[in-house]
Amino acid sequence: MSKRLTTQEALIFVMVMASAVDNAMNDKELGRIGQLIDVLPIFKGFDKERLIEVSQRCADILAGPEGLDIALEVVRDAIPPRSYDTAYALAVEITAVDLCIRPEEIRLLQLLRDRLKLDKLTCAAIEHSAIARYRPA
């Protein structure tokens, strides 16, 4: 990868990885990615027209040798440590949106947590908040 990612691009990488890890990027996940880019302050100023370009860049890295490992490194290097929990929260949000967490998604969350050196209590709080948000009536 020749050009370093911006924080916004790296966060999009995280969401794309969370959506693609089970080899099925569904409409709910893709729609949620768009919604989050529209409403979260961390994406202020991001040109949404670039979403496909950034997503393709992520897909290209993932398709290469050791793709997931490289993508996680690129993400870690581009996101400031104060936003590591935001990256994890976005990954959890995308995996939870379809109300079905698959083993591949759990493994990605573990890898992301380890790569970003997030503590288990923080991650548990983020995960529990997703459960509360998506709990049916």
Side-chain angles (χ1 to χ4, degrees):
M1 169 167 276
S2 57
K3 187 178 134 202
R4 182 179 165 102
L5 295 179
T6 67
T7 298
Q8 293 172 332
E9 291 168 338
L11 292 172
I12 291 169
F13 268 43
V14 168
M15 293 189 289
V16 168
M17 287 188 290
S19 180
V21 72
D22 61 359
N23 296 316
M25 294 181 76
N26 68 48
D27 290 340
K28 282 185 181 179
E29 292 168 339
L30 295 174
R32 189 66 178 140
I33 291 170
Q35 290 171 342
L36 292 169
I37 290 170
D38 285 341
V39 301
L40 292 180
I42 202 158
F43 290 110
K44 184 178 181 184
F46 179 76
D47 179 5
K48 202 167 170 189
E49 295 293 319
R50 295 189 54 241
L51 180 56
I52 293 173
E53 166 204 331
V54 174
S55 299
Q56 185 59 54
R57 195 169 162 197
C58 179
D60 291 345
I61 291 171
L62 292 171
E66 300 179 34
L68 181 58
D69 192 50
I70 292 169
L72 288 168
E73 286 294 314
V74 167
V75 162
R76 187 199 60 211
D77 292 346
I79 298 174
R82 73 176 186 281
S83 296
Y84 285 173
D85 55 352
T86 302
Y88 190 79
L90 291 172
V92 168
E93 185 71 20
I94 299 306
T95 60
V97 75
D98 61 2
L99 305 177
C100 180
I101 308 292
R102 291 170 182 78
E104 302 90 349
E105 294 168 327
I106 292 170
R107 181 67 183 138
L108 174 67
L109 292 173
Q110 290 169 336
L111 291 170
L112 186 60
R113 179 181 66 224
D114 293 345
R115 192 62 54 104
L116 300 179
K117 293 182 174 47
L118 291 167
D119 67 276
K120 290 184 179 185
L121 190 56
T122 297
C123 293
I126 291 168
E127 292 160 8
H128 188 74
S129 70
I131 290 168
R133 280 193 310 283
Y134 288 102
R135 181 177 294 130

